[in-house]
Amino acid sequence: MLQSLSIKNYAIIESVEIQFDKHLNIITGETGAGKSILLGAMNLILGKRADTSVLRNADEKCLVEAVFSIKNYSLKKFFSDNDLEYENETIIRRELNTNGKSRAFINDSPVTLDVLKALTEQLVDIHAQSETQNLLDKFFFCEILDELAKQTAVVKDYQTNYQQYKIKQNRLTHLQNEQISLQKEFDFISFQLNELTEANLNEDEAAQLESELSLLQNAETITRNLADAYSLIDANEFSALSQLLQANKQIGQLANFHDVLLEMHDKLSAITDDLKSMTRQITNIADATEYNEERVLLLTEKQTTINKLLQKHHVSEVKNLLEIQHSLQQKVDAFSNSTEEILQLETEIKQDKKTLLTAAQSISKNRNKQIKIAENKVSALLVDLGMPFGFIQLEQKIAEAEKLNAFGIDEIRLLFSANKGSLPQPLDEVGSGGEKSRLMLAIKSLVAETITLPTLIFDEIDTGISGEVAQKVGTILKELGKKHQVISITHLPQVAAKANKHFFVYKNHEKEKTFTEIKTLSGDERLHEIAVMLSGNNPPKEALENAKRLLN
């Protein structure tokens, strides 16, 4: 329920604040006084876009704030899902700055317009003549019939499962398209992957191959030179090692006589130890170095393979080839995995569809039972609303078994006739604006019997009617207001007289400025306003008496 609305610096509104009644609120005023401006400001709360053209004072920001009582709307999950603080009395605020940028807040937390719309569409339903398009929606009456059949919880469960079903379908389509695209190059990818896998690459392999090949290809020179080196170091009593050992022996006998000689003896001992180690290494390398033609051919072939792969893939290092191999392997794995997932999804979707279809058929049967009831109730209300021969017909079309939708298997079209003897026709082909508006009021009244509607705002829904019909419209709005909050902008005194709270919108002219004001009417002020609505300014005594009768 909308408790209050505060507007500052919007169009010709300088500052107004309205406290609404929980039942029927009526807004009246002269044409151009600003009633539609109030609605425009309300649209900001509902998440509509605006620009600086709505600023009354271009140097100040526009502020619109609404307070809603939301304890009856089961919205705690919405607040939790959007990380918002829940309050039974929730404050929604829109600010439009002088630079054209706007901000939206729910309980002082900034939100996007999408979040704002998602919340307020559950709180406020604005109906104007231009919004009868809902009646043309093939699913609009599905919801109404579900309410009458008291199966909204069942339908919500169906819709939750249907949403998961569609997600699976979209995933399956994506995988199938991806696989079709990949299939075209799968054989080539597999060939490239096999080629790289068979090469049995490792990152340091190129350098190792080059080193070993160089060793094998120069084996003869290496062994000859190592033999000569060994001979010079340690082959006989005149070799370098023998000579150093003899020299160190002589110096060692003198080490006790001089510190330098002791140090020299230690260094020569270390050198001879190193030489002995070197001779062992020379021997080991010489023994291991042997020309092996078969090994040379094998290594040369491997080196050629690597060079070809580097050239083929336009890279310079083996590590790049390994990265390519990894990428190709991922594609092959993805192809294999997607095949398994496709088979799994196809099985699940088939079963899900069977379950959904069973639920949808049950939902459809329950709707069908309510169609005649809904037709009779709406047609009866149309009689009260000045269309004695008006009636509706709901045409239920059952979709093919293979074609589910978010509401099951139904599409329901509204057919309407306002005249005696006329066959009902699609609403977009027949019916005036006033007739469509009264039809929407009748349908809202029907729905109001079974569900908790949000705040209903009617913008001149009574255009084009008068007299007894206007009285009936007022009565229906009054009845609607007993169970739901209704705000109606009207020019009809018969409707205005039914208000639980009556607001009057007028222009205030001060010096060189004109701005919209709004006040609550009661007592003589209200009586006078209704008399003015009946006969114009300066109403005669008869108009005042008539106004009294309407109010009573």
Side-chain angles (χ1 to χ4, degrees):
M1 183 184 77
L2 177 60
Q3 292 184 316
S4 65
L5 179 67
S6 173
I7 307 167
K8 293 181 181 178
N9 197 37
Y10 181 86
I12 60 172
I13 295 176
E14 188 173 84
S15 178
V16 299
E17 185 165 344
I18 313 169
Q19 302 290 328
F20 291 99
D21 189 85
K22 64 180 180 179
H23 298 298
L24 177 59
N25 300 268
I26 293 295
I27 299 174
T28 64
E30 294 181 0
T31 301
K35 299 186 295 297
S36 60
I37 294 173
L38 290 174
L39 204 56
M42 189 66 202
N43 276 326
L44 285 182
I45 292 295
L46 303 184
K48 300 289 178 67
R49 298 191 178 275
D51 55 45
T52 53
S53 63
V54 304
L55 296 178
R56 172 182 172 81
N57 183 343
D59 297 326
E60 296 179 12
K61 70 179 178 182
C62 165
L63 176 65
V64 182
E65 185 173 281
V67 180
F68 288 90
S69 175
I70 64 171
K71 59 184 177 181
N72 296 326
Y73 291 94
S74 303
L75 290 170
K76 288 184 178 179
K77 185 176 185 302
F78 177 90
F79 279 73
S80 175
D81 290 346
N82 290 280
D83 198 23
L84 294 169
E85 184 177 347
Y86 176 86
E87 297 287 349
N88 282 336
E89 288 192 358
T90 284
I91 300 172
I92 297 175
R93 186 171 78 254
R94 278 291 295 278
E95 296 177 359
L96 181 63
N97 295 318
T98 55
N99 59 8
K101 293 183 178 179
S102 75
R103 297 192 299 168
F105 301 86
I106 297 175
N107 291 332
D108 287 327
S109 295
V111 295
T112 65
L113 290 187
D114 286 339
V115 171
L116 184 62
K117 287 177 184 176
L119 174 61
T120 56
E121 69 184 10
Q122 300 178 72
L123 301 176
V124 178
D125 179 11
I126 294 183
H127 177 74
Q129 283 196 38
S130 61
E131 298 195 14
T132 51
Q133 285 299 113
N134 283 341
L135 298 175
L136 304 178
D137 189 327
K138 59 189 177 183
F139 299 125
F140 177 75
F141 278 93
C142 287
E143 297 180 86
I144 291 176
L145 294 174
D146 290 337
E147 294 289 353
L148 294 174
K150 294 181 170 43
Q151 64 175 2
T152 52
V154 173
V155 174
K156 282 183 180 178
D157 287 342
Y158 166 86
Q159 289 175 332
T160 299
N161 295 331
Y162 177 78
Q163 187 177 20
Q164 293 302 313
Y165 168 75
K166 293 301 291 183
I167 289 172
K168 289 180 182 179
Q169 275 193 327
N170 292 336
R171 174 64 179 165
L172 177 61
T173 300
H174 171 74
L175 288 173
Q176 288 172 332
N177 291 337
E178 194 176 61
Q179 197 166 60
I180 289 170
S181 175
L182 190 59
Q183 182 70 61
K184 297 175 183 177
E185 54 176 342
F186 184 71
D187 292 339
F188 180 60
I189 290 173
S190 297
F191 170 76
Q192 286 184 312
L193 178 61
N194 289 337
E195 197 174 42
L196 288 166
T197 303
E198 288 173 1
N200 196 24
L201 303 170
N202 69 68
E203 192 168 324
D204 301 321
E205 190 165 23
Q208 293 169 353
L209 280 173
E210 187 174 348
S211 175
E212 188 178 353
L213 268 174
S214 178
L215 190 68
L216 289 172
Q217 289 168 344
N218 294 280
E220 188 178 341
T221 302
I222 290 169
T223 54
R224 184 177 63 248
N225 288 0
L226 287 176
D228 291 344
Y230 181 81
S231 177
L232 291 169
I233 296 172
D234 191 22
N236 53 61
E237 59 181 314
F238 300 108
S239 64
L241 182 57
S242 297
Q243 297 293 326
L244 284 172
L245 286 170
Q246 287 295 328
N248 196 30
K249 183 179 179 182
Q250 298 298 323
I251 292 173
Q253 293 173 357
L254 306 173
N256 292 330
F257 302 113
H258 201 292
D259 290 341
V260 174
L261 292 175
L262 177 60
E263 184 181 351
M264 208 178 286
H265 173 68
D266 291 339
K267 286 182 178 179
L268 281 171
S269 296
I271 290 170
T272 56
D273 287 343
D274 288 342
L275 280 174
K276 288 175 183 177
S277 177
M278 287 180 192
T279 58
R280 286 193 297 271
Q281 289 176 334
I282 287 171
T283 301
N284 291 338
I285 293 172
D287 291 342
T289 304
E290 180 182 358
Y291 182 76
N292 184 331
E293 185 174 357
E294 187 177 337
R295 180 65 178 167
V296 169
L297 288 172
L298 180 65
L299 294 176
T300 302
E301 185 178 327
K302 184 67 178 288
Q303 191 177 54
T304 301
T305 298
I306 290 173
N307 289 334
K308 283 182 178 179
L309 288 171
L310 290 170
Q311 187 175 11
K312 180 177 181 177
H313 293 281
H314 306 290
V315 293
S316 58
E317 298 182 36
V318 174
K319 71 174 183 179
N320 303 129
L321 290 176
L322 290 170
E323 290 168 358
I324 293 169
Q325 181 180 342
H326 178 67
S327 176
L328 293 172
Q329 185 65 58
Q330 283 184 317
K331 290 183 179 180
V332 169
D333 291 344
F335 188 85
S336 300
N337 292 338
S338 68
T339 301
E340 292 178 12
E341 190 176 353
I342 284 171
L343 293 173
Q344 178 68 24
L345 281 171
E346 286 175 339
T347 301
E348 289 180 13
I349 287 170
K350 185 177 180 180
Q351 182 57 48
D352 289 351
K353 187 172 186 178
K354 185 178 178 180
T355 303
L356 285 168
L357 186 57
T358 300
Q361 288 169 338
S362 175
I363 289 168
S364 179
K365 287 178 182 178
N366 291 334
R367 285 176 184 152
N368 185 263
K369 294 175 184 177
Q370 299 299 320
I371 285 178
K372 188 56 67 177
I373 296 171
E375 289 174 344
N376 292 338
K377 286 187 175 182
V378 171
S379 298
L381 284 168
L382 290 176
V383 173
D384 287 342
L385 290 171
M387 289 187 277
F389 304 110
F391 69 97
I392 67 165
Q393 183 176 314
L394 300 179
E395 188 178 75
Q396 184 180 27
K397 179 183 176 183
I398 308 296
E400 297 176 8
E402 297 297 314
K403 195 170 183 181
L404 295 164
N405 61 55
F407 289 87
I409 53 174
D410 291 327
E411 293 179 5
I412 298 177
R413 185 170 66 152
L414 171 67
L415 303 177
F416 172 66
S417 173
N419 302 308
K420 187 176 183 179
S422 296
L423 292 175
Q425 300 291 327
L427 188 62
D428 55 342
E429 297 176 13
V430 295
S432 66
E435 288 171 338
K436 291 176 183 176
S437 293
R438 281 179 277 167
L439 177 57
M440 180 59 88
L441 178 57
I443 291 168
K444 295 280 187 185
S445 298
L446 171 67
V447 178
E449 294 178 9
T450 57
I451 63 172
T452 301
L453 289 172
T455 294
L456 298 173
I457 299 178
F458 294 102
D459 182 16
E460 300 185 2
I461 195 171
D462 45 28
T463 298
I465 61 175
S466 60
E468 186 64 25
V469 175
Q471 184 76 14
K472 293 287 188 180
V473 169
T475 299
I476 289 174
L477 287 173
K478 183 75 170 180
E479 289 300 312
L480 198 55
K482 288 180 179 179
K483 295 182 179 179
H484 312 278
Q485 185 183 43
V486 178
I487 300 170
S488 181
I489 297 172
T490 185
H491 288 290
L492 296 179
Q494 295 92 333
V495 175
K498 302 292 184 181
N500 294 98
K501 199 166 188 178
H502 187 162
F503 299 97
F504 179 63
V505 180
Y506 63 98
K507 285 183 179 178
N508 193 349
H509 306 281
E510 282 190 5
K511 297 180 182 179
E512 297 180 358
K513 291 183 179 180
T514 298
F515 49 90
T516 289
E517 296 271 21
I518 187 167
K519 64 180 178 178
T520 304
L521 299 181
S522 60
D524 289 342
E525 282 186 324
R526 188 177 181 206
L527 177 67
H528 182 268
E529 168 62 7
I530 291 176
V532 168
M533 294 174 76
L534 284 165
S535 66
N537 291 328
N538 302 314
K541 181 179 178 181
E542 293 79 10
L544 290 168
E545 290 298 326
N546 196 7
K548 284 181 182 178
R549 283 194 294 273
L550 287 176
L551 287 169
N552 291 328

